[in-house]
Amino acid sequence: MTLTIFFFISLIIAGIQTAIPFLVNRSVIFGVTIPEKHLQNETLLAYKKNYAKLVGLLSIILLAGYALWSLIQTATEEQIVIGGILLEFVIILFSFSLYFYYHGKTLKLKADKQWTGNLKQIRVADLSARSRDEMLPWQVFLLPIIITVGVIGYTLLKYDLLPQQIPTHWGPNGQPDAFTEKTLMSSILMPLTLFVMQLMFLGIHLGTKKSGIKLSGESTEASRQRQLALRKYSSWLMFFVSFLITVLLSFFQLQIIHPDIISATAMFAIPLGFLVIILVSTIVFAVRVGRSDKFTIETTEEKLTDSDDTHWKGGLFYFNKNDPSIFVEKRFGVGWTINFANPIGYLIIFVPLIAILVFSFL
């Protein structure tokens, strides 16, 4: 079953990495802004197809090799886990290597063809877009937080029922395989870590909601549709993931207090079901956002928005101290990335992570 889990995860990763060039903002190819009239350039289309073919082919070879190796060699569970992690790492590393290769070629093609040399630089503002924003209200993120606070309180009330060895990790079979001595901190470590994660989710949601809705000067309606879809579906996905993680870890916490609350079979099935739901939800999110601007055709005066390539390093890292947005849409991938010139983003992401690391060593 461990082989099935890692094979399934690797297959999803391979599929997403293969399809990324066709899911990103249509006016951005390998992290480079391309004017609307040149999006169907044969060379650019060939770059995208070649990337997808190479990533897809390597993924098929690696996945087949991983499955055959695990079955023929009768690998141990530990070997399967290590092999699965290496497989995922190689697929991601190869896809990013190809991304940087085609990013450089796309930049060179854009410069050689002088596609933006004579375009008018403009700023695009649409005050009506906010009224169409369907992001979830921040208050819904309080629901998992309230559940976690309740679990922490219940754990403290039932402290005497806890075993002397507190489980800290569960294996692929759903059974605990690592323990620590019972203390007040170790008894609530899992829900406390969950609480910090929930605060981070809430912070990301608030930062995303306050970030600007960035529109293209050439395809205003298409970019508006994509931005609104990204904001709507990412808020739902973030809440859904936060809620599912809350249910899963709260269940594990209650199982520590009441070991007979559920059978060993269910302990194995529940995390597996959780993983499947998260992966499927991520795929649905990527497809819905990725296709949100694909069928809008606009013919407007050639213009170039002033947020083009200058603020993106390698097409992946966004630095713009004049932009108050904390998070912006990724240029390679589907979702959000930090405005690395805005220190609030660092606080939202890294402070909770540091707090979790500190808790784990207490």
Side-chain angles (χ1 to χ4, degrees), residues 228-260:
L228 292 174
L230 174 63
R231 295 166 70 88
K232 173 184 176 180
Y233 294 124
S234 62
S235 70
W236 275 99
L237 179 64
M238 197 177 310
F239 171 73
F240 187 58
V241 171
S242 176
F243 186 78
L244 281 184
I245 293 176
T246 301
V247 172
L248 180 67
L249 296 188
S250 297
F251 170 78
F252 280 149
Q253 183 70 12
L254 293 176
Q255 201 273 337
I256 295 174
I257 303 172
H258 306 288
D260 299 326

Side-chain angles (χ1 to χ4, degrees), residues 264-290:
T265 302
M267 281 295 293
F268 167 76
I270 290 175
L272 180 60
F274 166 83
L275 177 63
V276 171
I277 293 173
I278 292 295
L279 289 175
V280 171
S281 300
T282 303
I283 295 172
V284 172
F285 164 74
V287 172
R288 291 297 296 267
V289 175

Side-chain angles (χ1 to χ4, degrees), residues 38-57:
H38 301 295
L39 292 178
Q40 299 302 313
N41 178 273
E42 292 184 1
T43 302
L44 292 177
L45 294 177
Y47 288 168
K48 294 165 70 173
K49 291 178 181 177
N50 290 340
Y51 168 93
K53 288 178 181 178
L54 290 171
V55 175
L57 179 61

Side-chain angles (χ1 to χ4, degrees), residues 31 99-100 103 309-320:
Y99 162 79
F100 281 113
H103 173 76
D309 304 325
T310 54
H311 299 299
W312 287 90
K313 311 304 178 184
L316 295 177
F317 305 103
Y318 183 69
F319 290 84
N320 187 356

